[in-house]
């Protein structure tokens, strides 16, 4: 794997968009017949015309879609000349060959942002970034990282770890007031699997490996880590740890902190790691636990050991339709009390349910007939209101016996709550949408519609209240700023816990004709987060804090907790080499 | 609950032994017919004569048991006069009424040690402690703790948190070179349940509540936290967090760090806590994660929020007998790959299997007949060697369907590995022994036999090797020190993980006629831990580091990891108010 990439600045410059989400073979386009299509053949949703999308959008956003009113990406993106710390550059040049670093404008700009819509993507594509990286470094080993950090300490340079670039919390946004030279360390050449221990079910991989590469390699050997964040194609192992990532199938495999057994991080004071990767140890205070969520503040993660599972014998999708969202929540509530849960259980609201339908191809023949029968049954026979129905989607994994029990428990309980089994293809469809959503965001942005996703943890008794309140607040804010039409706000419950859930919102607004549309959207987002937290929601379930949610930390941690972490940072990195200033560290 | 205890120095001075383990109504005694009996009616094992115990012991330890050769507990235990920091005492007296503190010799001595055999119990009962607490403080609220810590900071006094006193890692051993006044804060008056949120399945309790009191109160409401450390009767919520405790039923309920959703700790810089008790949050670096395993070094834990589960519909015990220990391990190895596991799965070796049998009453009538039939079947029909057989014990909880599936999976797999189902009463018996073992230790100590338990995490491919190596090393060390007879060393696998297990060893040696027997036993333990770690075992699975395992930290964490935690301690408690000097902090 590594060989192929050594002589290129970035392993995937050729296949990934510079700034927008994902792969260059994939984007939504509009046809003359007002159908839209996802190009390429990478996704199941690609290669056919979707006729219902634009009408659905127009009705939901209360606007008319004009294919000719497009915003074009700025071609002449401004990139300031780099801050040059000459003694550092000289030292770097004598320590490394040229393939290890770049001062190229494009390379620098690509790695000066994450994927936050308003504050990062919109700015870089249509406006200007406030701070751009001065040099990109491409470490190929832990030793390279140690040398870099040592030189940075010596010459007072700021180092920023960079993985898949998929952050949506402004964690990769560079501190605008940073006057030192900023070196972004792109970890993606460190993408090797170092060892697999089949007997003890462990894999050790370098931190720059993407989820897709890791899982492809493991699948070939009959294993999986089971970690499936929505960004799995692009995000990296190191990034998962640094953000405290969550996977879709955490019921079976756990979240990242339950999957990773050892982390190595290069800090200005040396390598923080455990001697042994063990499932569970009482070793006193465990420094490793702080590395989850460190968001680049403490050091650069170079490798990690993860738990392996054999690929499941059986994997089945499923779905259940409920008359409305609160009924679906009541079903989840009871399901969460069971010891046996499907790997993934989600609940989408009516809007997202219909969103999924709007991305279907035109049904013909038997399929159309079946689809009509299904609809007839749900609406006429069972009296479900098509504008209220909500759907639960399921991924079940395990031995045949296990999956059979999951099905029995889930469908039995669903029936009790008035749910109707909706078939496996509808279930699978729900998950396909996950990978398409960011491409839709970038497509819509070209037509003045800004979209963002955000998430929170809430206790059970607040699920419906928080969903309603976010929708209400979005309308209030929309009107306050005089935006055209109405907001699209759609929640889904993506993770179940004993004591609550993760709610994941998709939010879109049209800013056509509005000055500073992105800024307005950012303000609306903050108002909504305030509302969420006032009702007992958390600062974030898995996206993290970054810089986007810094203002909400005082509502999250006691002052002494914040002081504790700041004290730790100061003790471990007194020069602030890792000066990315995320979460409790520094100012934005 | 609280009212009853307010005017007593300690809530359980009347019912607990001052120094040995457990309750005063319970102890093993020898009858003239050389049977032994557990007094009282607290345990299932109590109230009948066990005839096989002494013969079993004699054969396993290679010694003859002489009921008349007893060591008596020292009646005149030396307690030095307290170090008195007069300004602090005066400040304390003006801030609190007399019921809040004690300078009494007995109260001080009781709380100057944990339950580590060689270095604590043996010393306090038969010798002398190196350092004794100077004053005992009984906080009744978080505000009391804050006042205490503030006064201690002001007057340069050392504060040591104290819960159930069940530590077996010398975590409660007071630093012998501490010249400041040492105040031990006994948290057990802080034993209230502050609230229960049934809707969101959470309970908030004060840190001094014992596991038994917590579970009794929850059971009455139909709930459980599911946390069952072997010390559950005596140990406290705060102690569980401070040691990073593990519960027997962690497969269903998780270990302590997976059960607790919020912790409040009073530190010299204020209260460290989260605003919200949520199942899962990405909040950047999460200070709370450091509190697990803090072992008294950072502050005093005052309360915590834990997840609740409804009491399971079904609870069933089970057991499987295997021809030998390695076959049992192979069975566990395959079982651990399943998604559905019984709440508890243990594997005891042959010695422990027979130990359990030796505590049975004399069988008569039908029972004896059945027992003989069973033995006949195992040994004659199936050819199991009674000196090699090992047994797996099971606790299964959940809905009827879940438990039925667990049974199907477990017994199906057991059969594949040549195991024979051994019935539920044998299973239950295995767990009863857990609560008796510490009483046996104290009984044996009176007859010159020292016993200790220790545990470790090991990867799957080292389970049998580590068990064998510990047994071998125990014999080598035994002979090296010229101890009488032979060592009793018996492992059990108590916890399964994907990547390894916890092995829990019971070790006994006769030191009759040996000078410094306890010191010798301590040296043997260290040699064994060295052996365990050289083979890839961890420093501890759940007992923690304390002072006992300090020497092994450099083999556990990188120097930078240790420096990180020391930096944190220095930033948060620069005066070292919490000067107990456990794990990476300070010297012994």
């Amino acid at each position: 794997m590594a060989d192929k990439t050594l002589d290129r600045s970035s392993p995937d410059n050729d296949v990934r968009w510079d700034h927008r989400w994902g792969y260059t073979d994939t984007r939504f386009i509009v046809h003359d017949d007002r159908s839209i299509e996802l190009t390429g053949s990478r996704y199941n949703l690609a290669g056919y015309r979707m006729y219902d999308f634009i009408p659905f959008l127009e009705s939901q956003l209360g606007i008319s879609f004009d294919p000719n009113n497009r915003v074009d990406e700025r071609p002449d993106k401004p990139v300031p000349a780099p801050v040059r710390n000459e003694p550092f550059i000289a030292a770097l040049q004598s320590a490394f060959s040229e393939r290890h670093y770049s001062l190229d404008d494009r390379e620098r700009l690509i790695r000066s942002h994450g994927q936050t819509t308003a504050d990062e993507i919109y700015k870089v594509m249509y406006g200007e970034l406030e701070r751009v990286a001065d040099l990109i470094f491409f470490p190929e080993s832990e030793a390279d990282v140690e040398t870099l950090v040592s030189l940075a300490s010596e010459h007072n340079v700021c180092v920023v770890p960079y993985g898949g670039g998929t952050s949506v919390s402004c964690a990769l946004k560079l501190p605008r007031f940073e006057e030192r030279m900023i070196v972004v360390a792109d970890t993606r050449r460190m993408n090797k699997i170092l060892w697999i221990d089949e007997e003890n079910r462990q894999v050790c991989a370098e931190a720059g490996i993407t989820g897709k590469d890791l899982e492809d390699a493991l699948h070939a050997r009959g294993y999986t880590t089971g970690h499936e964040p929505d960004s799995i194609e692009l995000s990296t192992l190191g990034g998962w740890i640094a953000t405290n990532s969550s996977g879709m199938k955490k019921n079976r495999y756990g979240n990242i902190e339950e999957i990773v057994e050892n982390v190595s991080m290069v800090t200005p004071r040396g390598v923080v790691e455990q001697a042994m990767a063990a499932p569970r140890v009482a070793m006193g205070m465990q420094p490793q636990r702080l590395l989850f969520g460190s968001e680049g503040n403490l050091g650069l993660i170079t490798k990690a050991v993860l738990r392996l599972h054999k690929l499941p014998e059986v994997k089945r999708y499923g779905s259940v339709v409920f008359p409305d969202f609160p009924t679906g929540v009541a079903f989840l509530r009871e399901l969460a009390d069971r010891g046996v849960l499907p790997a993934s259980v989600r609940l989408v609201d009516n809007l997202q349910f219909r969103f999924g339908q709007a991305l279907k191809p035109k049904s013909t023949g038997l399929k159309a007939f079946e689809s009509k029968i299904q609809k007839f049954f749900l609406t006429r026979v069972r009296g479900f209101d098509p504008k209220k129905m909500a759907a639960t989607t399921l991924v079940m994994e395990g031995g045949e016996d296990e999956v059979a029990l999951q099905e029995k428990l889930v469908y039995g309980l669903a029936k009790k709550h008035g749910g109707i089994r909706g078939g496996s293809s509808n279930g699978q469809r729900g998950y396909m949408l996950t990978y398409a959503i960011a491409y839709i965001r970038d497509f819509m942005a070209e037509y003045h519609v800004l979209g963002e996703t955000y998430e929170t943890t809430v206790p059970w008794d607040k699920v419906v209240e928080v969903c309603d309140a976010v929708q209400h607040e979005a309308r209030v804010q929309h009107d306050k700023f005089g935006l055209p039409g109405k907001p699209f706000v759609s929640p889904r419950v993506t993770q179940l816990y004993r004591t609550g859930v993760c709610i994941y919102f998709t939010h879109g607004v049209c800013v056509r004709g509005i000055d500073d549309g992105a800024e307005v959207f950012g303000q609306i987002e903050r108002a909504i987060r305030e509302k969420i937290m006032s009702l007992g929601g958390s600062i974030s379930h898995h996206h993290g804090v970054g810089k986007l949610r810094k203002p909400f930390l005082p509502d999250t941690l006691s002052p002494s907790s914040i002081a504790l972490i700041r004290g730790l940072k100061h003790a471990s990195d007194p020069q602030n080499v890792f000066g990315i200033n995320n979460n409790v560290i520094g100012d934005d």
Side-chain angles (χ1 to χ4, degrees), chain A:
Chain A
M1 234 176 284
D3 291 344
K4 283 202 320 191
T5 66
L6 287 186
D7 51 359
R8 289 218 313 276
S9 298
S10 161
D12 54 7
N13 267 7
D14 302 339
V15 294
R16 277 184 64 175
W17 294 106
D18 279 6
H19 304 296
R20 35 167 94 209
W21 184 273
Y23 300 101
T24 50
D25 58 16
T26 302
R27 65 184 303 189
F28 279 92
I29 53 168
V30 195
H31 291 293
D32 289 345
D33 60 3
R34 290 173 64 91
S35 69
I36 68 161
E37 183 177 340
L38 188 63
T39 62
S41 57
R42 193 177 285 271
Y43 302 98
N44 287 340
L45 288 174
Y48 62 86
R49 296 187 177 206
M50 305 165 183
Y51 290 93
D52 298 334
F53 182 78
I54 289 178
F56 174 74
L57 201 82
E58 287 183 320
S59 92
Q60 291 313 316
L61 287 172
I63 55 162
S64 64
F65 179 84
D66 178 359
N68 299 314
N69 189 345
R70 254 179 72 119
V71 212
D72 285 320
E73 185 174 346
R74 184 172 177 174
D76 59 330
K77 300 195 182 69
V79 181
V83 174
R84 293 178 64 97
N85 180 321
E86 297 299 346
F88 170 78
I89 293 176
L92 200 71
Q93 281 170 336
S94 72
F96 295 102
S97 66
E98 279 189 9
R99 70 159 196 267
H100 275 91
Y101 52 89
S102 172
L103 286 148
D104 175 76
D105 281 2
R106 180 181 166 217
E107 299 292 349
R108 289 162 50 217
L109 194 65
I110 292 175
R111 293 175 189 79
S112 296
H113 63 85
Q115 284 289 330
T116 320
T117 302
D119 212 22
E120 296 189 287
I121 292 305
Y122 200 85
K123 280 185 182 162
V124 71
M125 286 184 68
Y126 305 109
E128 189 171 348
L129 292 182
E130 286 167 295
R131 184 68 165 89
V132 172
D134 300 309
L135 181 145
I136 310 302
F137 183 77
F138 302 96
E140 291 167 9
S141 67
E142 188 168 286
D144 287 353
V145 176
E146 289 184 274
T147 305
L148 171 73
V149 172
S150 159
L151 294 179
S153 297
E154 191 182 336
H155 297 285
N156 197 26
V157 159
C158 171
V159 175
V160 174
Y162 183 95
T166 57
S167 160
V168 286
S169 64
C170 294
L172 291 171
K173 184 184 168 185
L174 300 172
R176 54 188 155 164
F177 302 121
E178 181 56 76
E179 291 179 355
R180 296 175 297 176
M181 182 171 183
I182 298 180
V183 173
V184 167
D186 183 332
T187 57
R188 286 174 296 173
R189 284 187 196 164
M190 293 170 57
N191 62 357
K192 287 187 288 299
I193 289 180
L194 297 175
W195 48 261
I196 294 180
D197 180 346
E198 298 201 30
E199 182 68 15
N200 295 312
R201 302 276 190 267
Q202 290 177 322
V203 57
C204 180
E206 290 182 314
I209 195 167
T210 62
K212 190 177 178 322
D213 285 348
L214 177 62
E215 285 297 317
D216 284 351
L218 293 176
H219 286 202
R221 305 268 293 257
Y223 293 102
T224 179
T225 66
H227 191 59
E228 284 191 23
D230 292 356
S231 60
I232 185 169
E233 301 164 287
L234 310 168
S235 58
T236 60
L237 171 55
W240 297 342
I241 296 165
T243 50
N244 204 32
S245 158
S246 171
M248 189 174 89
K249 299 192 296 192
K250 76 91 195 157
N251 294 339
R252 185 171 176 84
Y253 301 99
N255 285 318
I256 193 69
E257 69 276 21
E258 294 153 327
I259 294 171
V260 169
E261 298 197 338
N262 202 357
V263 180
S264 301
M265 177 191 269
V266 174
T267 75
R269 296 265 163 112
V271 180
V272 172
E273 65 188 355
Q274 296 173 184
M276 176 193 179
R280 212 273 172 178
V281 178
M283 55 167 66
M285 291 169 280
Q286 209 166 338
Q288 174 167 293
R289 289 179 171 164
L290 278 180
L291 309 189
F292 295 92
S294 52
E295 298 189 347
N297 284 317
L298 290 184
L300 189 147
I301 296 164
T302 53
K303 63 178 187 285
V305 178
L306 296 85
R307 288 183 196 170
L308 289 182
H309 300 247
K310 280 185 167 176
L311 285 171
E313 282 170 39
V314 175
K315 174 172 183 164
R316 281 208 284 275
Y317 290 93
S319 68
V320 180
V321 183
F322 290 96
D324 53 36
F325 189 74
T327 307
V329 172
F331 156 74
L332 295 183
R333 175 75 201 81
E334 203 172 334
L335 184 64
D337 268 340
R338 307 295 174 125
V340 180
L341 286 181
S344 171
V345 182
R346 288 180 173 182
L347 175 69
V348 299
D349 81 331
N350 180 262
L351 210 51
Q352 209 155 143
F353 181 63
R354 287 192 286 140
F355 196 176
Q357 306 295 317
L359 297 178
K360 279 188 172 174
K362 234 178 198 159
S363 307
T364 51
L366 188 63
K367 227 172 172 175
F369 179 71
E370 281 170 359
S371 172
K372 270 183 188 160
I373 288 280
Q374 201 176 32
K375 197 169 169 187
F376 178 81
F377 177 73
L378 285 172
T379 56
R380 298 296 167 83
V381 180
R382 296 297 303 258
F384 283 21
D385 180 345
K387 295 284 176 69
K388 286 193 175 167
M389 290 188 291
T392 286
T393 58
L394 309 159
V395 181
M396 288 161 291
E397 296 188 354
E400 181 57 50
D401 285 339
E402 275 177 71
V403 169
L405 178 65
Q406 289 168 26
E407 290 182 319
K408 185 178 168 190
L409 294 175
V410 167
Y411 295 129
L413 197 61
K415 198 171 166 189
K416 182 184 150 191
H417 286 270
I420 311 281
R421 207 167 151 167
S424 66
S425 67
N426 280 327
Q428 193 160 10
R429 186 156 203 86
Y431 292 96
M432 279 154 53
L433 193 56
T434 298
Y435 297 106
I437 196 78
Y439 291 101
I440 293 176
R441 177 199 66 170
D442 289 332
F443 168 67
M444 295 307 304
E446 296 174 14
Y447 299 96
H448 309 275
V449 175
L450 295 182
E452 188 57 281
T453 57
Y454 42 85
E455 33 67 80
T456 185
T457 329
V458 293
W460 280 106
D461 63 354
K462 302 285 181 170
V463 179
V464 174
E465 189 180 350
V466 166
C467 290
D468 289 348
V470 166
Q471 282 163 317
H472 178 75
E473 188 66 25
R475 282 192 300 273
V476 168
Q477 293 290 328
H478 201 87
D479 296 345
K480 178 179 146 193
F481 287 104
L483 300 184
K486 56 187 185 181
F488 176 100
V489 182
S490 172
R492 67 167 178 256
V493 176
T494 57
Q495 298 287 20
L496 310 190
Y497 299 91
R498 293 271 158 179
T499 60
V501 304
C502 169
I503 313 176
Y504 190 91
F505 293 93
T506 302
H507 185 179
V509 296
C510 180
V511 293
R512 207 161 52 197
I514 303 291
D515 289 344
D516 299 326
E519 173 57 28
V520 166
F521 189 44
Q523 285 186 41
I524 294 177
E525 257 190 273
R526 275 190 289 283
I528 288 173
R529 176 66 49 184
E530 244 173 72
K531 175 59 75 177
I532 289 171
M533 291 185 68
S534 75
L535 291 172
S538 75
I539 192 166
S540 165
H541 170 269
H542 60 275
H543 285 168
V545 176
K547 290 167 204 75
L548 190 64
R549 301 194 181 94
K550 260 177 181 288
F552 300 101
L553 279 164
D555 303 318
T556 299
L557 288 167
S558 67
S560 301
S561 303
I562 294 174
L564 191 79
I565 296 297
R566 286 187 178 150
L568 172 90
K569 161 75 177 180
H570 188 73
S572 135
D573 182 14
Q575 269 185 279
N576 199 24
V577 170
F578 287 92
I580 188 63
N581 283 4
N582 284 324
N583 59 66
V584 301
I585 308 302
D587 303 311
D588 179 12

